[in-house]
Amino acid sequence: MEKKRETTTLSVHRCRFVDYAPSAITALAFPPLPLPSVKGKKKTTAGKQPSKFGVLAVGYANGNIDLCEWMGAEREVQCSQAWVTQKTLPGPYPSKVDSLAFVIRHPDDVGADDVPSQSDLRLFSSGGGSELLEWDLERSCIRRTISSQGGSIWSIAANPACTSLALGCEDGTVRILSIANDTLTHSRRFDRVKCRMLSIAWGPPVPRQPKPKTKTTLKAVAQAVEASDESDSEEEEDEWSDSWLVTGGSDSSLRKWDVTTGRVIERMGTDKMRGERTLVWTVGVLGDGTIISGDSLGMVKFWDSRTCTQLHTFQAHGADVLCMTISPEGKAIYTSGVDQKTVQFSLVKTSTSENGGPASTKWTQTSSRRMHSHDVRALATWPPYAPLPSSHKRQFPIDVAPILASGGLDMAVVLTPAALPTSTIVKITNPLNTSTEATFEDAYHRKLAYVTEGAVRVARGARLVSCVREAGLSVWRIQKRPEEAPQQDISMEEEEPFAGGWEKVLEMELVVHSNIIAHEISDDGRWLVISDLYSTKLFSLSTDVKGQIDLKRIKDFSTILQAHIPASSSHASSTGGLAFQFTPDSSKLIMSTALSSYILVIDLTGEKPCVLRRFDHHRLQDSSLHDRVMKGRTTKKVNGEAQVEVHVNGDMDVDMPDVDSVVEEATEIEADKEEKSQESDGSEEDEEEEENVKSTLSIVSVDRIAISTDGQWLATSDSRARTHIFNLDSISHHCVLPSFHLPAQALAFDPMHPSVLLLAFPDNTLEVFDVETRQFPTWGKELNLSLPKRFTYAHDPVLGVAFDPATSHSEQGKTRYVLFWGATWLFKVSLDTSLRVGGRKRRREAVGGVGEEERQWRDYKMVTQYRPIMCCGFLAKDELVVVERPLMDVLSTLPPAYFKHKYGVS
């Protein structure tokens, strides 16, 4: 007979006092697709859309840029989690992002039907100043900068061939930068006009015309042979040429420019209101040459690029039109701006020709939706649109809806399926899995959470909660209840908290060069570490009798770290850290370096901190053979990235060799290289050795660290889905896990069995690994298979894992469970139940023994009343702290949104 499901009761601290302030979204960008070959070498398949989704870049007003990856499998076109932030590029402090542009580094190396991966891309940004930034996407730092030579940059746009970048400048000029072959140099400057260049867009590229056939003579053949070597490369580069571009200015006009001469071909004037200048905030160009503009009067205008006259005018918005994007097929336009509305314009058929000729079409305003509460600053669509001529137009399948991404002052990226209603031949798939409908008018949209993992930390023993800003940090203390209060079910609303439940004990403002990227506070509240991209600051905390915290900085901490981080010519000297973790007894600090991917073990027990060992294992490029990790060999590169192809199959032990010898060899080569470079001016032998080192080492982001509760085991995971296990007792490398399908989103050791490591992935799947036996236990795979769809299909990815710290062997009859949390949910799943697999009832052994109860289901509970969650963790036995930042609290800090009252209009 089945027993009744047990209810776990917890005391929950709902912390809404944390004044975390997310930043407004100011720019969005998807990568472009490569242009089709004019010669037909890279002929595209009609109707074939890349099964892969491109990376989404989100630029913020505080200067940070988030890189969000699609979480779906290789051939899946539907994924509930959609795009999840995998990496954050910290901006200089202070700074902002106004414009973003992706380009393909080497377009000829990417197939016409392929989606460029992150390693194939270059990312440019501007932030209101005169500097254009190019980002190093591997190291998450600025690669190089270049001055516009024309004042503040108002707009940037890359040409469809990814060979040139146009800058619209403060002084009324358009500057063209050459970005071909991974360069960044000034190419030319257009004529100056007396207005700011607020927006810019390239016209359709012109395919190179084949030379006319002539009679072949011996002299002509000889000349052709002589010139063939010189002309081949030029022909490849000149397959597509740019003829014109269009700019929107601050003087109520648009201008069409000749790219060859740099002069204005035609000027198009917009409407004015009471003699004031109209600002043309956004422009776009279609494949047939039609120009679209959005201005500060809320007008959306369509222009004929040949005659430069108006075709259509729509009073679509009540205030400024700030952004625009074009659907993949070029048959729909989306605009938005200050009035929060997103308006769709569609190309509709007006009549059918009787003679069989082309039907006449016209642009019309078809629908509008209000999905934001404040100004919308950016729009982008996937797949991206390229203004190609009709003869080379790219075809996309009609059964998968494109995605419209939008963002603005309300700090959340909104994703909307944007299929056209005319696509009724087949059933359209909604990639976001939000609804069965996939058209822009009817489909449900979804918002990506504005909370960032790692901004809030909880010190369990000291009962402290810390939160970082761009250049500051605040710490609060959660006080204990004066008397034992009755516990409540986790699924119930908590009553009013008792007075004096929390107090702010520390407020810091730091001198930083970039926005703060990581921080950590020890469990006992004695240590605090904060880092930007370039330096790490360590503080010793002490609490006086009155409960106030005294702060003391360890001044020479950066010097101590610098001595153990080898200098490199490829990046700036940095002691910054991406992730930190204190051991449970606060005797050691583990950190991963930001630009060099080292793991440092730092002893804090002496008078001064001391680096005990540096691990280089994440810098190695592993190779694989027959599903086993091979050490000491270079890896075959795919799209410029090292591929580790070991998979978890079956219940057998996985061969995970000790790679200390490989690390030592690589380190010795690196050390020898440094010594020789200091002794000599650089010979050919040094260059060869440097090439060998580069082929052995790689740069990754080690952004997840976990330490077992007994302080013995350390787990670190990087952006290439590799996880290493270290033994902190012997301070040595223990093993490396097989690479998984995605980088781990959360790591946690079971406090009851410290050798059991739980890994959670952003697609809401799990893996369990026993560190001591180096095996994936069977019950862990059963746990993953038994997870309900409500969890695996949850729209928000898992952000963290929490175990009840008080659970011990002596507690009999207590259901053991693990608590997962995302931005909008808490998920409790029991580990001590038996479940039915494949129709047979199977009794599963618990981690440390046999479960006492036998059931046909696995106990789980999904709680959605806490949102959005920034952090969740246990303070003590059955005492949970949930840090929330409600949307209404965030919106109350913003200026009032645009509102124009209309009587009798809904």
Side-chain angles (χ1 to χ4, degrees):
M1 182 177 177
E2 295 178 3
K3 296 185 179 181
K4 189 178 180 181
R5 186 193 301 261
E6 288 191 11
T7 301
T8 304
T9 55
L10 298 175
S11 296
V12 181
H13 296 275
R14 299 187 69 173
C15 302
R16 295 187 170 187
F17 50 78
V18 175
D19 54 355
Y20 171 75
S23 186
I25 295 169
T26 53
L28 296 170
F30 281 113
L33 297 177
L35 293 181
S37 174
V38 175
K39 294 181 178 180
K41 291 180 180 178
K42 298 188 292 184
K43 189 174 182 180
T44 59
T45 305
K48 181 181 179 183
Q49 184 190 25
S51 58
K52 185 179 172 185
F53 288 74
V55 60
L56 169 64
V58 185
Y60 293 92
N62 63 1
N64 285 352
I65 300 173
D66 282 346
L67 298 182
C68 306
E69 295 276 4
W70 180 260
M71 289 297 106
E74 186 67 27
R75 294 296 172 185
E76 290 182 1
V77 295
Q78 197 171 45
C79 178
S80 297
Q81 289 78 28
W83 280 275
V84 175
T85 302
Q86 291 289 286
K87 187 179 291 188
T88 297
L89 312 180
Y93 181 80
S95 67
K96 62 177 181 175
V97 176
D98 279 340
S99 303
L100 286 174
F102 272 119
V103 298
I104 304 174
R105 181 176 282 109
H106 300 293
D108 293 337
D109 296 341
V110 181
D113 290 326
D114 296 337
V115 174
S117 63
Q118 202 175 112
S119 60
D120 298 323
L121 297 172
R122 302 169 68 187
L123 177 62
F124 297 93
S125 73
S126 66
S130 61
E131 294 288 324
L132 178 74
L133 309 181
E134 181 181 357
W135 293 87
D136 187 329
L137 301 184
E138 275 194 339
R139 292 190 171 88
S140 304
C141 63
I142 296 173
R143 184 185 180 193
R144 54 188 166 193
T145 65
I146 189 171
S147 173
S148 69
Q149 301 179 2
S152 299
I153 301 172
W154 281 89
S155 55
I156 63 177
N159 69 336
C162 293
T163 57
S164 298
L165 199 66
L167 310 180
C169 300
E170 173 83 20
D171 65 349
T173 61
V174 175
R175 312 268 175 164
I176 304 297
L177 304 182
S178 173
I179 56 175
N181 301 318
D182 205 19
T183 60
L184 182 62
T185 56
H186 278 276
S187 176
R188 63 176 307 155
R189 176 176 66 86
F190 287 5
D191 290 348
R192 177 173 298 169
V193 294
K194 294 182 179 180
C195 74
R196 294 170 176 164
M197 297 297 179
L198 301 179
S199 52
I200 193 165
W202 291 82
V206 179
R208 179 177 50 81
Q209 298 297 326
K211 294 180 180 179
K213 293 184 179 181
T214 57
K215 292 184 179 180
T216 305
T217 62
L218 291 176
K219 185 177 181 181
V221 171
Q223 291 177 349
V225 171
E226 290 177 2
S228 61
D229 295 336
E230 300 178 2
S231 62
D232 281 347
S233 59
E234 293 179 1
E235 288 179 359
E236 287 292 334
E237 293 177 0
D238 297 334
E239 261 191 55
W240 294 90
S241 61
D242 300 295
S243 58
W244 56 273
L245 58 80
V246 62
T247 60
S250 59
D251 62 345
S252 312
S253 65
L254 293 84
R255 289 176 174 82
K256 181 181 174 184
W257 300 80
D258 189 319
V259 173
T260 307
T261 63
R263 295 184 176 178
V264 177
I265 300 175
E266 196 68 59
R267 179 179 178 272
M268 295 160 274
T270 60
D271 302 340
K272 292 184 179 181
M273 184 71 71
R274 295 186 295 272
E276 296 181 2
R277 288 186 174 184
T278 302
L279 310 177
V280 182
W281 289 116
T282 179
V283 292
V285 180
L286 299 177
D288 61 0
T290 303
I291 299 171
I292 311 104
S293 67
D295 57 38
S296 57
L297 298 180
M299 309 282 282
V300 177
K301 296 178 180 289
F302 291 76
W303 308 79
D304 187 331
S305 62
R306 294 176 182 172
T307 60
C308 294
T309 55
Q310 283 189 35
L311 298 174
H312 310 284
T313 299
F314 300 95
Q315 182 65 56
H317 297 271
D320 300 49
V321 182
L322 300 179
C323 49
M324 173 198 310
T325 189
I326 305 171
S327 70
E329 298 276 355
K331 295 180 179 179
I333 310 292
Y334 300 93
T335 61
S336 193
V338 174
D339 66 351
Q340 310 114 42
K341 281 198 310 183
T342 303
V343 179
Q344 181 191 55
F345 301 88
S346 299
L347 187 63
V348 297
K349 294 180 180 179
T350 55
S351 61
T352 305
S353 175
E354 297 179 357
N355 300 328
S360 59
T361 58
K362 64 175 290 188
W363 286 95
T364 183
Q365 181 177 337
T366 50
S367 67
S368 66
R369 297 181 62 178
R370 182 173 275 108
M371 299 176 289
H372 292 266
S373 59
H374 280 69
D375 304 12
V376 181
R377 295 286 303 273
L379 290 173
T381 53
W382 180 264
Y385 177 73
L388 294 173
S390 57
S391 57
H392 293 81
K393 193 174 181 180
R394 186 180 281 110
Q395 299 293 323
F396 295 98
I398 59 175
D399 60 341
V400 179
I403 303 297
L404 173 68
S406 57
L409 296 188
D410 58 1
M411 308 157 193
V413 177
V414 172
L415 302 176
T416 313
L420 297 177
T422 53
S423 305
T424 56
I425 304 172
V426 295
K427 179 177 173 58
I428 305 173
T429 302
N430 177 357
L432 302 179
N433 203 17
T434 53
S435 59
T436 55
E437 295 292 335
T439 58
F440 176 74
E441 298 93 334
D442 302 324
Y444 290 153
H445 65 274
R446 60 156 302 203
K447 291 187 177 184
L448 302 185
Y450 54 76
V451 297
T452 56
E453 196 277 331
V456 174
R457 296 296 188 194
V458 175
R460 180 180 301 165
R463 304 177 68 86
L464 298 178
V465 176
S466 61
C467 177
V468 291
R469 301 178 297 278
E470 287 81 13
L473 176 135
S474 301
V475 180
W476 296 265
R477 179 183 291 114
I478 300 176
Q479 298 174 353
K480 293 184 179 180
R481 290 178 181 270
E483 58 184 12
E484 190 68 23
Q487 293 181 328
Q488 61 162 5
D489 184 18
I490 190 174
S491 62
M492 296 172 57
E493 280 287 338
E494 181 165 335
E495 299 176 0
E496 284 294 321
F498 66 97
W502 57 272
E503 60 176 342
K504 180 178 282 191
V505 294
L506 184 62
E507 183 76 33
M508 298 174 62
E509 289 295 332
L510 301 165
V511 177
V512 292
H513 297 288
S514 77
N515 293 333
I516 294 174
I517 58 176
H519 85 290
E520 189 65 56
I521 188 167
S522 62
D523 271 355
D524 58 6
R526 290 175 46 218
W527 297 99
L528 172 67
V529 61
I530 309 173
S531 176
D532 65 359
L533 191 62
Y534 304 104
S535 65
T536 299
K537 297 176 174 64
L538 180 65
F539 298 91
S540 173
L541 307 181
S542 59
T543 307
D544 58 19
V545 181
K546 297 181 180 179
Q548 295 300 314
I549 291 182
D550 295 325
L551 197 69
K552 181 182 178 182
R553 181 181 173 186
I554 310 301
K555 293 185 178 180
D556 53 353
F557 186 62
S558 288
T559 307
I560 295 171
L561 296 180
Q562 190 64 60
H564 292 81
I565 301 177
S568 173
S569 59
S570 60
H571 61 84
S573 175
S574 166
T575 60
L578 271 183
F580 300 92
Q581 195 72 42
F582 290 94
T583 54
D585 59 359
S586 300
S587 63
K588 297 184 184 72
L589 168 65
I590 315 298
M591 69 173 285
S592 65
T593 57
L595 300 183
S596 48
S597 307
Y598 293 113
I599 303 294
L600 299 182
V601 181
I602 304 162
D603 183 22
L604 301 177
T605 57
E607 294 183 2
K608 288 186 178 181
C610 172
V611 177
L612 299 178
R613 184 162 180 191
R614 183 191 76 215
F615 292 111
D616 304 359
H617 298 74
H618 284 280
R619 292 168 57 88
L620 293 178
Q621 291 185 353
D622 301 325
S623 59
S624 61
L625 179 65
H626 302 301
D627 283 350
R628 290 185 181 272
V629 175
M630 306 300 292
K631 62 178 180 178
R633 300 185 184 181
T634 56
T635 313
K636 178 181 69 175
K637 288 193 173 185
V638 179
N639 292 332
E641 290 190 4
Q643 301 295 311
V644 186
E645 301 174 354
V646 177
H647 304 286
V648 183
N649 293 321
D651 299 338
M652 299 300 293
D653 190 8
V654 184
D655 184 26
M656 289 164 287
D658 185 7
V659 293
D660 277 343
S661 58
V662 188
V663 176
E664 290 173 2
E665 291 174 9
T667 307
E668 287 174 4
I669 294 174
E670 196 171 0
D672 293 342
K673 184 197 71 172
E674 291 174 2
E675 290 178 5
K676 291 186 178 182
S677 63
Q678 292 175 358
E679 294 174 1
S680 62
D681 293 333
S683 61
E684 295 180 359
E685 294 179 0
D686 293 337
E687 293 176 0
E688 291 178 2
E689 286 187 1
E690 187 172 355
E691 290 177 0
N692 291 334
V693 172
K694 286 182 179 178
S695 67
T696 308
L697 303 179
S698 65
I699 298 300
V700 294
S701 299
V702 186
D703 46 12
R704 298 290 184 269
I705 297 178
I707 299 177
S708 61
T709 51
D710 61 357
Q712 179 182 2
W713 301 110
L714 163 69
T716 58
S717 184
D718 63 29
S719 57
R720 289 189 178 171
R722 300 178 301 180
T723 303
H724 287 271
I725 308 296
F726 303 90
N727 189 324
L728 291 182
D729 288 346
S730 59
I731 314 183
S732 61
H733 183 268
H734 180 66
C735 65
V736 55
L737 273 65
S739 62
F740 298 104
H741 60 298
L742 290 170
Q745 187 83 344
L747 304 176
F749 283 94
D750 186 349
M752 190 172 180
H753 299 87
S755 65
V756 174
L757 174 66
L758 183 66
L759 302 97
F761 299 96
D763 61 349
N764 291 357
T765 57
L766 309 176
E767 289 287 350
V768 179
F769 181 72
D770 193 317
V771 174
E772 289 187 351
T773 62
R774 304 189 185 189
Q775 288 184 348
F776 293 88
T778 305
W779 68 264
K781 297 175 184 178
E782 292 179 354
L783 170 65
N784 190 29
L785 294 174
S786 65
L787 294 173
K789 287 186 177 180
R790 192 178 180 192
F791 172 67
T792 56
Y793 282 36
H795 289 303
D796 289 297
V798 60
L799 294 179
V801 183
F803 287 93
D804 190 338
T807 305
S808 65
H809 291 279
S810 61
E811 292 179 308
Q812 296 297 327
K814 184 75 173 178
T815 303
R816 296 189 60 253
Y817 64 92
V818 59
L819 196 64
F820 300 94
W821 58 275
T824 57
W825 49 261
L826 292 172
F827 180 72
K828 185 203 75 171
V829 58
S830 174
L831 297 183
D832 274 347
T833 58
S834 60
L835 69 160
R836 187 179 292 245
V837 178
R840 293 176 299 146
K841 183 179 286 189
R842 181 184 302 176
R843 188 177 180 87
R844 184 189 65 77
E845 291 187 1
V847 187
V850 180
E852 294 184 353
E853 299 176 356
E854 186 170 305
R855 303 173 185 175
Q856 292 183 348
W857 72 90
R858 179 175 296 283
D859 273 350
Y860 63 85
K861 179 73 173 178
M862 179 77 86
V863 180
T864 58
Q865 69 192 46
Y866 309 103
R867 60 175 60 193
I869 301 173
M870 298 194 60
C871 187
C872 178
F874 285 92
L875 291 179
K877 173 182 167 58
D878 295 334
E879 186 177 4
L880 186 71
V881 57
V882 179
V883 180
E884 299 173 273
R885 188 58 170 151
L887 177 62
M888 294 311 298
D889 293 352
V890 173
L891 296 181
S892 64
T893 63
L894 299 178
Y898 170 84
F899 176 74
K900 188 174 182 181
H901 179 71
K902 293 183 179 180
Y903 179 77
V905 178
S906 58

